[in-house]
Amino acid sequence: MSTDFLTAEDKEFLDANYNWGLCEDDTTGMRGVVIHDYCLPAGYTPQKTELMLLIPANYPMGNIDMFYFAPRIARADNIGINALADEIHFGIQWQRWSRHYPWEPGVDSIVTHVGFVANQLKLELE
């Protein structure tokens, strides 16, 4: 699969910080970026998971929305997490975190979205 849809900044960020890959569903045209062994902050179980971002066809103008984990994650204190759902993408069951923000084309990217994910994980524990 080609990485042509990623910006140079995206590729540099992913290569420098993560073991990552791409997935694509030829039937639906969906594509995703998967960060393998994504480390979760203390307070979650398991400690590592796969983080997946669904990338819209018109990225980077179009927004990345929500984020997905496989396997499912939970708070270590067993307090529930709101706005979760299970979805199947690329033959894998993912835990979808429904979290949103106003996307700014030319400003937001995979880099900022991964930062958003990290911030949302921390906020969930507060």
Side-chain angles (χ1 to χ4, degrees), residues 1 40 56:
M1 178 177 186
L40 296 165

Side-chain angles (χ1 to χ4, degrees), residues 4 6 8 16 18 26 32 36 42 45 54 56 71 73 76 79 85 101 104 109 113 121 123:
D4 292 347
L6 298 175
Y18 300 104
D26 293 332
H36 305 292
T45 184
L54 285 177
I73 69 172
I79 293 175
Y101 61 97
E104 294 184 53
S109 65
H113 199 74
L121 287 166
L123 287 174

Side-chain angles (χ1 to χ4, degrees), residues 43-102:
Y44 288 99
T45 184
Q47 294 177 336
K48 290 183 181 182
T49 187
E50 306 287 294
L51 167 62
M52 191 266 294
L53 310 176
L54 285 177
I55 310 297
N58 62 341
Y59 178 80
M61 295 305 290
N63 67 302
I64 301 172
D65 191 30
M66 301 184 277
F67 47 93
Y68 303 78
F69 295 111
R72 296 173 54 93
I73 69 172
R75 288 176 54 140
D77 60 11
N78 293 317
I79 293 175
I81 302 170
N82 291 322
L84 301 181
D86 290 329
E87 293 183 4
I88 296 177
H89 298 286
F90 316 111
I92 298 169
Q93 183 169 318
W94 298 91
Q95 178 190 54
R96 182 193 75 201
W97 283 50
S98 183
R99 307 292 191 276
H100 316 279
Y101 61 97

